Structures are given as C-alpha cells and as structure tokens.
Amino acid sequence: MDNMRERSAIEPVAAFSMSHPAVPALYMALTLGLTMFSMQPVLIALSLAGGLAYGFATRGAARTLNALRWQLPVILIIALVNPLFSASGSTELFRIGVRAVYLESMVYGLCMGGLFVASVLWFEAAASMLEYDKVLALLGNAAPVLALMISMCMRLIPQFLRRGRTVLAVQDAIDVPGRAPADPVCSRLRASSVLMGWGMEDSLERADAMRSRGWGAATRRTTYARYRLGRSDVAALVGLALFGVVTVAVAWTATMQYSFYPQLSVPAPWPGYVVYAAWMVLPCALHAIDEKRFG
C-alpha cells in the first residue's frame, strides 16, 4: 500500500494496476478487437473518445494533444485519399477530372482514419496497463518467446522516438554557422539511416547478452511468480468476460445494421451505445478511483 502511494506521487496510476495481469490483458484484447473490427461511426467515435479520455487521465492533456498533431492529419489524408481509390456511393460532391468524389466514400475514409487513431490510442493504453514485467509474468512460462517479442515491441516505438529526437538534435547542433541549412528530406533520411543502424546494433548486443545469460539453454525455466491470481481477480475476469460478451453483441448488432454504400445509414438513438460507451470509459473510471484512493 505504501509502495503504491509512493508510486502514485511519481507517475499516474494505470487502470487495473492492483489486479493480476490477466485482468488488463483480457480487457485490452477485447477493446482492441472491438475497436479494429467495429466499422460504425458511432462506435468509432465512442472508442476514440474513450482512448482520448484515458490518455488525458494518465499521460496528461499536453502529451495527448501533442500526439494528435500527426494523428489528425492522418485522418484527413485517409478521408481525402479514399474517394480517389473507391469511387462508390450515391451522393456526388464534386469531380476531379472524370472521377467523381462521393460523400459515402469520404465518410468511409473519415471512419477508417478515426479507427486507425483509436487503435493507436488503445495500443498506448495497453503499453501503460501491461508493462513488460506483467507480460512476462502472464506468458513467460507458457510462451516465453512470444512474451519476449511482445515486451520488446511495446518498447520499440517509444525508444525509436526518443533516439530520433536525439539524432535530430545532434544534427542541428553540428550545423556550421553561415552555411545553408540542410535539406529537411535529406536530414530525415540520414536520421532514419542512423536509427536503423542503431537498432540493428542494439539487437545484436541484446542477443549476445541474452545468450550469455543462458536464454534458451533449458526447455522450461523457473520464474519468480510476483503476481498471484486471487478471488478478486477471478471475479474481475468473470465480470469482464460477461460485460465483454454483451459489448461484443452490441458492436455486432450496430455494425451489421449500418451501411456506407450505396447510401449512408443514419444512426438512431439506441441504448446499446450506452453499454459500448461504458466499456470504453471503464479504464478511465478505474484510474480516477485509484487516484482518489492512493493519490
């Protein structure tokens, strides 16, 4: 309890932080599945709102909004590009040469972009809920290679971003005064080359270090079990499973009843959306409860 209070004073408390890793793993598996396979505007908006709310609660408004600087343009790009590849629909907006641009294709592109950004937000939430030690504790004995791959991939993108900022800062620092600035495209390509080389060198060093520590020497390893599955965890798993089944049924029904082509459907008020919204806002609510208890 004291350790939890000390930790909360340093960094935000993630949702399900007091639960067995199986609990957040079940929630995130269902949430990512619902987000990526529910191609319906209202469901996409609810998932996007839930991911943003959790980002505001855990990472802060500044960091979350800073990430939207590239996420929002992605939505617009997909919305504008999709009508050029999919000239389908019944409501013509305008023409580019001989190709017609339809409202239905543009709305479909907007939904695709929103779905992509919502998935990114929930993957970031998964990284905060399932730290590498929890992934290893959950899959270490059953699938150690898979657990290692997941934990390494979860830290790969943040590591590349940090290193990329370092490389760009060094490039800016060594520019000779009075000389014309380097081409931004060439600068980014050079930084990408440095990052790729840095990443491959890092992977070789990590492989040698793991081999020297005996990784793969035995078919089954003994590990320290830090997390114990208690009664409250079992109750949480059962509750999440039942809640998840209802949410999946809601998403299936809403997705099957909606159509983009040949004409957009108009979503009507439906109590099922409340169930879906409650599922998406659940980690934010748990985070607020934990902050109130331990903050």
Side-chain angles (χ1 to χ4, degrees), residues 116-135:
F116 171 76
V117 173
S119 300
V120 171
L121 289 172
W122 282 115
F123 271 111
E124 292 176 349
S128 67
M129 294 182 198
L130 290 170
E131 299 170 343
Y132 71 94
D133 59 328
K134 294 185 178 181
V135 176

Side-chain angles (χ1 to χ4, degrees), residues 97-179:
V98 297
R99 179 174 291 274
V101 176
Y102 294 96
L103 174 65
E104 289 77 10
S105 296
M106 190 165 290
V107 172
Y108 189 89
L110 280 172
C111 291
M112 286 281 291
L115 186 148
F116 171 76
V117 173
S119 300
V120 171
L121 289 172
W122 282 115
F123 271 111
E124 292 176 349
S128 67
M129 294 182 198
L130 290 170
E131 299 170 343
Y132 71 94
D133 59 328
K134 294 185 178 181
V135 176
L136 291 176
L138 191 61
L139 300 174
N141 288 332
V145 177
L146 180 61
L148 180 65
M149 289 178 60
I150 292 175
S151 61
M152 290 176 65
C153 290
M154 288 174 66
R155 67 185 291 269
L156 184 62
I157 295 178
Q159 183 187 66
F160 262 58
L161 291 176
R162 289 194 303 270
R163 290 180 172 180
R165 287 192 290 267
T166 302
V167 172
L168 293 176
V170 171
Q171 288 183 357
D172 294 338
I174 63 176
D175 284 340
V176 178
R179 191 177 65 181

Side-chain angles (χ1 to χ4, degrees), residues 19-250:
S19 303
H20 188 274
V23 178
L26 175 61
Y27 176 82
M28 289 311 309
L30 290 173
T31 302
L32 289 171
L34 288 167
T35 299
M36 291 186 288
F37 294 103
S38 298
M39 194 60 181
Q40 205 263 13
V42 178
L43 302 185
I44 293 173
L46 292 174
S47 178
L48 188 59
L52 283 173
Y54 188 73
F56 288 149
T58 56
R59 295 186 293 129
R63 290 182 59 188
T64 305
L65 293 176
N66 187 52
L68 291 179
R69 290 190 305 175
W70 70 267
Q71 292 172 355
L72 291 180
V74 166
I75 297 178
L76 295 177
I77 291 172
I78 296 176
L80 295 175
V81 170
N82 183 69
L84 301 179
F85 293 93
S86 176
S88 303
S90 58
T91 307
E92 182 177 335
L93 297 177
F94 53 88
R95 286 182 173 269
I96 301 177
V98 297
R99 179 174 291 274
V101 176
Y102 294 96
L103 174 65
E104 289 77 10
S105 296
M106 190 165 290
V107 172
Y108 189 89
L110 280 172
C111 291
M112 286 281 291
L115 186 148
F116 171 76
V117 173
S119 300
V120 171
L121 289 172
W122 282 115
F123 271 111
E124 292 176 349
S128 67
M129 294 182 198
L130 290 170
E131 299 170 343
Y132 71 94
D133 59 328
K134 294 185 178 181
V135 176
L136 291 176
L138 191 61
L139 300 174
N141 288 332
V145 177
L146 180 61
L148 180 65
M149 289 178 60
I150 292 175
S151 61
M152 290 176 65
C153 290
M154 288 174 66
R155 67 185 291 269
L156 184 62
I157 295 178
Q159 183 187 66
F160 262 58
L161 291 176
R162 289 194 303 270
R163 290 180 172 180
R165 287 192 290 267
T166 302
V167 172
L168 293 176
V170 171
Q171 288 183 357
D172 294 338
I174 63 176
D175 284 340
V176 178
R179 191 177 65 181
D183 183 11
V185 176
C186 295
S187 176
R188 295 303 187 271
L189 289 176
R190 186 165 63 248
S192 300
S193 176
V194 172
L195 284 174
M196 293 297 294
W198 197 351
M200 288 187 287
E201 180 184 1
D202 206 22
S203 64
L204 292 175
E205 291 179 355
R206 186 177 292 111
D208 290 339
M210 292 176 61
R211 189 178 297 110
S212 65
R213 286 169 172 79
W215 175 265
T219 56
R220 186 174 180 85
R221 302 177 64 189
T222 58
T223 57
Y224 167 67
R226 177 182 176 184
Y227 302 97
R228 300 289 184 181
L229 191 66
R231 293 182 179 179
S232 59
D233 298 318
V234 174
L237 287 172
V238 173
L240 278 179
L242 295 176
F243 194 6
V245 168
V246 176
T247 309
V248 169
V250 167

Side-chain angles (χ1 to χ4, degrees), residues 13-17 27 49-58 122 125 129 240 243 276-294:
V13 180
F16 305 104
S17 57
Y27 176 82
L52 283 173
Y54 188 73
F56 288 149
T58 56
W122 282 115
M129 294 182 198
L240 278 179
F243 194 6
Y276 197 87
W279 176 271
M280 292 299 171
V281 82
L282 179 61
C284 192
L286 293 177
H287 169 79
I289 294 173
D290 287 343
E291 283 289 318
K292 186 176 181 180
R293 292 174 60 193
F294 304 112

